Amino acid sequence: MIRYGVIGSGMMGLEHINNLNAIAGAEVVAISDPEVTSRKYGKYAAGICDSMVFESHTDLLAAGICDAVVLASPNHTHADIMEDILAAGVHVLVEKPLGTSVAECRRILNAAEGHRGVVWMGLEYRYKPPI
Ligand SMILES: NC(=O)c1ccc[n+]([C@@H]2O[C@H](COP(=O)([O-])OP(=O)(O)OC[C@H]3O[C@@H](n4cnc5c(N)ncnc54)[C@H](O)[C@@H]3O)[C@@H](O)[C@H]2O)c1
């Protein structure tokens, strides 16, 4: 069983939680979000107890309970949070875009240098032409 944390349980975070719930061998064990309403929906979607719901991603990472995390917070938060995730040494799927500037993306790539896990910048939906 791979234990996932979802950082940012807004629209896309909930989508990821629901998708992970449908995958055998995946379990969402924790979420983090600074907004109380997002935490409420994330907790409900993941079916986890209060002690696994965090206001801060740093507390989620420090708990050491996740093998992998999905980062689905707003774009401008990705660079700082990715540095913390990579320092924690867990696998990560970060929602697109990786960062909000070339400089931010380079910062993240530098932080990922030597990381021993998966670092995946994910675009969940693929456009299918109507023909
Ligand atoms: N792959 C796709 O098709 C697709 C579609 C839409 C959005 N996105 C991307 O997904 C990400 C999230 O977008 P959304 O539409 O779900 O936004 P949203 O506003 O619905 O959700 C973002 C959530 O992140 C929370 N948040 C804010 N700061 C945070 C922090 N420091 N740590 C943790 N959580 C924090 C907010 O409280 C909110 O609940 C963005 O990067 C966006 O570009 C991807």
Side-chain angles (χ1 to χ4, degrees):
M1 189 64 81
I2 298 179
R3 303 165 302 164
Y4 284 84
V6 176
I7 297 175
S9 51
M11 189 268 287
M12 286 309 296
L14 292 177
E15 186 89 24
H16 282 288
I17 292 170
N18 289 331
N19 289 343
L20 288 165
N21 285 344
I23 297 174
E27 183 183 14
V28 180
V29 297
I31 61 143
S32 78
D33 199 296
E35 293 296 330
V36 63
T37 307
S38 296
R39 286 200 299 279
K40 187 177 88 176
Y41 283 115
K43 176 185 175 225
Y44 178 77
I48 53 179
C49 62
D50 283 334
S51 62
M52 298 294 162
V53 177
F54 299 90
E55 284 188 43
S56 161
H57 71 276
T58 52
D59 290 337
L60 180 151
L61 294 170
I65 49 180
C66 299
D67 305 304
V69 295
V70 174
L71 176 55
S73 59
N75 303 345
H76 70 277
T77 67
H78 287 185
D80 287 344
I81 298 177
M82 278 296 283
E83 285 186 335
D84 293 339
I85 291 170
L86 292 164
V90 293
H91 305 289
V92 56
L93 184 161
V94 52
E95 265 294 350
K96 63 85 190 158
L98 185 57
T100 56
S101 66
V102 172
E104 271 193 5
C105 294
R106 289 211 170 108
R107 250 181 73 200
I108 299 169
L109 292 178
N110 286 339
E113 202 60 43
H115 182 68
R116 292 167 65 95
V118 173
V119 181
W120 178 15
M121 203 278 300
L123 175 60
E124 191 186 10
Y125 301 113
R126 182 175 298 176
Y127 175 65
K128 191 170 175 213
I131 51 167

